[in-house]
Amino acid sequence: MKSDDEWITVVLNGQWLKRLKYEQARESFMKDPVLHVRVVKYRHRSVDRATGEIKETELTYFTDLDEKEFSSEEIAALYAKRWDIEVSYKSLKSGYELERYFSNDCSIARCAVCAKVLYHNLVGVIRKEMDRSLSKKRSHTEYAYAVNITQLNDHIRKNNLLYMIFHRRRSGIIGLINDVIGLADKIKVPVRPDRHEMRWGKVISVSKPTRFRIDGRNWPNTIRFKHRLMTVRP
């Protein structure tokens, strides 16, 4: 690349075509094996809160969005928002068992998927209001906090919100939502100020424990390296 933002051409040969999982995609690339990809290199700067040191990380993005409509900075900002999308996928697949079906009927399976997505959006609306209340309490010296979606979902499911909605129990729904909002300070987690900060290769003092974390997140795996305990990728 001669610049930090340009288009490259990729030609899919026979070996790559064999690796394609779906026949429709394979047939499409057999007719036209040329793929045009925009490559954006963006330098993300952050400030270490402890030392005040400015860190710079070079990030590379692959996209097909036109440069006339989206600048390099806008591409980086769009990709940063994908974190919430990935968390939603995890909640749908792990928390709601989105890929688990109870019937071979496609219509029933489609209804189950739509119901779980609607329920996830309903929990998201409640979480948004709780995050808003947390932001009002935040002082200028504190980190930002957000409600842990896993713990919020577990609490709502255990208290049968859907049952009360189905039976139109208005007072029960209002009471449950008020109780959940009151738990905001108990199930909140700090928002890392720099999502691009490396979480692997860090020296830590305590190994991965056998118990789960209170906030529902996963402990990082560790290895011994030169008499030090370091975090590694999952």
Side-chain angles (χ1 to χ4, degrees):
M1 295 177 59
K2 298 179 180 179
S3 67
D4 290 340
D5 188 350
E6 62 184 62
W7 291 83
I8 64 172
T9 301
V10 180
V11 180
L12 276 69
N13 56 22
Q15 292 180 343
W16 276 105
L17 292 175
K18 290 179 181 179
R19 297 178 63 178
L20 295 178
K21 181 178 179 180
Y22 298 104
E23 184 177 349
Q24 184 178 3
R26 189 183 305 110
E27 291 178 353
S28 176
F29 279 112
M30 287 179 65
K31 296 178 182 178
D32 184 9
V34 178
L35 186 65
H36 300 285
V37 181
R38 180 185 174 192
V39 183
V40 177
K41 291 183 179 181
Y42 180 75
R43 291 171 180 81
H44 174 79
R45 290 187 176 183
S46 61
V47 180
D48 192 314
R49 292 176 65 93
T51 63
E53 179 184 359
I54 299 178
K55 299 180 180 179
E56 187 175 277
T57 306
E58 184 177 89
L59 306 169
T60 304
Y61 303 102
F62 298 89
T63 181
D64 61 352
L65 298 178
D66 193 275
E67 66 274 13
K68 295 180 181 179
E69 298 183 30
F70 297 92
S71 65
S72 301
E73 291 76 13
E74 289 173 325
I75 293 294
L78 286 173
Y79 271 77
K81 294 181 180 297
R82 289 188 59 84
W83 177 256
D84 286 337
I85 299 174
E86 296 299 330
V87 172
S88 294
Y89 280 134
K90 180 180 180 181
S91 298
L92 286 168
K93 294 175 68 175
S94 302
Y96 311 141
E97 298 182 339
L98 185 69
E99 298 175 328
R100 183 180 180 184
Y101 304 108
F102 301 94
S103 173
N104 292 328
D105 190 320
C106 292
S107 298
I108 295 177
R110 187 180 297 109
C111 288
V113 170
C114 291
K116 291 176 181 179
V117 172
L118 287 172
Y119 175 77
H120 179 64
N121 289 337
L122 177 61
V123 175
V125 171
I126 298 175
R127 184 196 185 195
K128 185 175 182 180
E129 292 301 319
M130 297 172 71
D131 288 344
R132 186 176 299 172
S133 65
L134 288 174
S135 66
K136 292 180 180 178
K137 301 178 183 178
R138 178 191 175 191
S139 65
H140 295 291
T141 59
E142 289 182 330
Y143 283 107
Y145 284 90
V147 171
N148 182 278
I149 188 66
T150 301
Q151 290 179 298
L152 176 61
N153 171 58
D154 289 342
H155 186 79
I156 291 177
R157 293 179 69 178
K158 290 177 181 178
N159 287 276
N160 300 320
L161 176 62
L162 291 181
Y163 177 84
M164 289 186 287
I165 292 177
F166 184 78
H167 291 279
R168 300 182 180 181
R169 298 185 178 180
R170 179 182 177 85
S171 59
I173 296 171
I174 295 175
L176 173 58
I177 293 178
N178 288 333
D179 290 341
V180 169
I181 293 176
L183 293 173
D185 287 313
K186 294 184 178 181
I187 60 175
K188 67 181 181 181
V189 291
V191 178
R192 290 197 297 112
D194 183 8
R195 293 267 19 138
H196 298 293
E197 182 182 357
M198 294 298 295
R199 290 172 286 173
W200 326 121
K202 285 191 172 183
V203 177
I204 60 176
S205 59
V206 181
S207 180
K208 181 179 180 180
T210 55
R211 68 181 186 277
F212 292 100
R213 287 174 53 156
I214 296 177
D215 59 10
R217 298 182 178 182
N218 298 324
W219 290 95
N221 295 325
T222 57
I223 59 171
R224 289 283 179 182
F225 180 74
K226 293 183 179 181
H227 307 290
R228 295 181 297 180
L229 194 64
M230 301 185 67
T231 57
V232 294
R233 290 183 179 275

